[in-house]
């Protein structure tokens, strides 16, 4: 059980430090790579929570597909550098105050209401396997699944329509 | 045993860092990445609650999968918008995209 604690603290520290580094780095390419690092750390946290399938999907979809899309667009546009100091001077201090206020409120509510449950239930080996998740997804949650597929289709068509060059306008 | 509230604290820290990034960065791509970080924190929350409170129901994992799909479509449309704006204005700094302001 102590190895779990050590793993958890190490992973939590790495995740938070990677997130801060992602926000603090001015170069968008570094930001994206730190975000990949953060996603991989959170995937390991999922493994610690016995959610192996979610961890694998996190690595393939988030760290793989989505971040490759981000890096592709950053390098395509060539706008990775962010100029320092904009027109809105009070934006940075106000965001620090708002972020810290949210973190403080969340930590206060969490630490005041003790929501710790009893000992963890043991999980069987095949519980949460892709087969069992698929069975539940296609039986109980069929309608949300279909709505998600329509959402993906709409996003795909929307991305194509938005980025298409308007030839009719130019003529 | 790791208490549930520690997982939620990590998730809250990641979410607050994401809030700060979405508010303070001026690069539209960085703002989109900060929103991804916030979605990721919510997912960690969902998985932790599933494991600790309802480990016999797979609903928590199904919820996470739906959030994955929503995040993927959000990124696709968001990046398409950014590319389209860059073609017209040659910038993705959010304070210079103010053509709908008067």
């Amino acid at each position: 059980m102590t190895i779990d604690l050590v793993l958890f603290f190490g992973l939590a520290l790495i995740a938070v430090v990677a997130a801060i580094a992602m926000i603090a780095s001015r170069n968008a390419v570094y930001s994206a790579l730190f975000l990949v690092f953060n996603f991989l750390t959170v995937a390991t946290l999922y493994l610690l929570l016995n959610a192996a399938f979610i961890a694998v999907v996190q690595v393939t979809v988030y760290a793989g597909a989505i971040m490759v899309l981000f890096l592709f667009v950053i390098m395509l546009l060539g706008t990775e550098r962010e100029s320092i100091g904009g027109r809105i001077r009070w934006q940075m201090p106000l965001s620090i105050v708002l972020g810290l206020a949210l973190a403080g409120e969340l930590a206060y509510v969490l630490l005041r209401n003790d929501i710790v449950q009893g000992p963890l239930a043991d999980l069987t080996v095949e519980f949460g396997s892709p087969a069992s998740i698929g069975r539940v997804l296609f039986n109980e949650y069929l309608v949300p699944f279909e709505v998600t597929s329509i959402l993906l289709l709409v996003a795909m068509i929307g991305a194509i329509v938005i980025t298409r060059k308007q030839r009719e306008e130019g003529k | 045993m790791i208490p549930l509230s520690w997982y939620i604290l990590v998730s809250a820290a990641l979410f607050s860092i994401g809030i700060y990034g979405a508010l303070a960065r001026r690069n539209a791509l960085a703002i989109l990445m900060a929103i991804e970080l916030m979605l990721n924190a919510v997912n960690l929350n969902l998985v932790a609650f599933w494991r600790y409170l309802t480990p016999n129901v797979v609903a928590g994992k199904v919820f996470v999968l739906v959030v994955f799909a929503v995040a993927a479509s959000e990124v696709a449309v968001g990046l398409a918008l950014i590319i389209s704006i860059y073609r017209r204005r040659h910038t993705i700094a959010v304070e210079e995209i103010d053509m709908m302001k008067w």
Side-chain angles (χ1 to χ4, degrees), chain A residues 1 4-5 8-9 12 15-16 19-20 22-28 31-32 35 38-39 42 45-46 48-54 57-58 61-62 66-67 69-70 73-74 76-77 79-88 91-92 95-96 98-99 102-103 106-107 110-111 114-123 127-129 132-133 136-137 141 144 148 151-152 154-155 158-159 162-166 169, chain B residues 1-88 90-98 101:
Chain A
M1 265 317 181
D4 273 12
L5 279 180
F8 175 79
F9 276 115
V16 171
I20 291 173
M22 170 222 151
I23 294 303
S25 60
R26 289 275 137 209
N27 193 328
S31 282
L35 192 56
N38 182 43
F39 284 161
V42 173
L45 275 177
Y46 290 157
L48 208 59
L49 283 165
N50 299 73
F53 179 61
I54 299 295
V57 173
Q58 164 101 355
V61 173
Y62 255 123
I66 292 182
M67 292 320 290
L69 205 59
F70 263 110
V73 171
I74 292 169
L76 177 74
L77 299 185
T79 52
E80 60 262 23
R81 289 253 160 234
E82 188 175 338
S83 56
I84 300 166
R87 271 187 272 164
I88 312 171
Q91 185 188 11
M92 182 87 81
S95 342
I96 291 176
L98 287 176
L102 180 69
L106 286 172
L110 276 175
L111 295 178
D114 204 15
I115 46 174
V116 183
Q117 301 295 306
L120 274 184
D122 284 330
L123 294 179
F127 186 80
S129 67
S132 72
I133 291 180
V136 174
L137 203 59
Y141 299 98
T148 309
L151 177 72
L152 284 172
V154 168
I162 290 170
T163 50
R164 193 186 49 176
K165 288 203 170 146
Q166 278 102 5
E169 264 181 37
Chain B
M1 185 191 111
I2 307 156
L4 171 59
S5 46
W6 293 4
Y7 277 106
I8 305 172
L9 273 177
V10 174
S11 157
L14 290 181
F15 193 88
S16 306
I17 294 167
I19 280 272
Y20 167 73
L23 289 176
R25 295 299 294 267
R26 300 188 300 115
N27 189 338
L29 282 164
I31 291 176
L32 211 53
M33 281 195 271
I35 293 172
E36 288 304 304
L37 187 68
M38 281 152 68
L39 280 171
N40 195 40
V42 170
N43 273 346
L44 181 59
N45 232 342
L46 287 172
V47 173
F49 273 119
W50 161 77
R51 180 69 185 88
Y52 279 79
L53 296 184
T54 57
N56 300 315
V57 189
V58 199
K61 289 188 168 181
V62 174
F63 215 138
V64 173
L65 288 179
V66 172
V67 173
F68 278 148
V70 171
S73 36
E74 174 233 322
V75 164
V77 176
L79 289 179
L81 281 173
I82 290 174
I83 289 177
S84 176
I85 290 168
Y86 186 79
R87 276 209 197 122
R88 285 160 191 268
H90 293 283
T91 180
I92 53 167
V94 282
E95 60 188 13
E96 287 169 28
I97 308 166
D98 54 359
K101 229 159 97 178

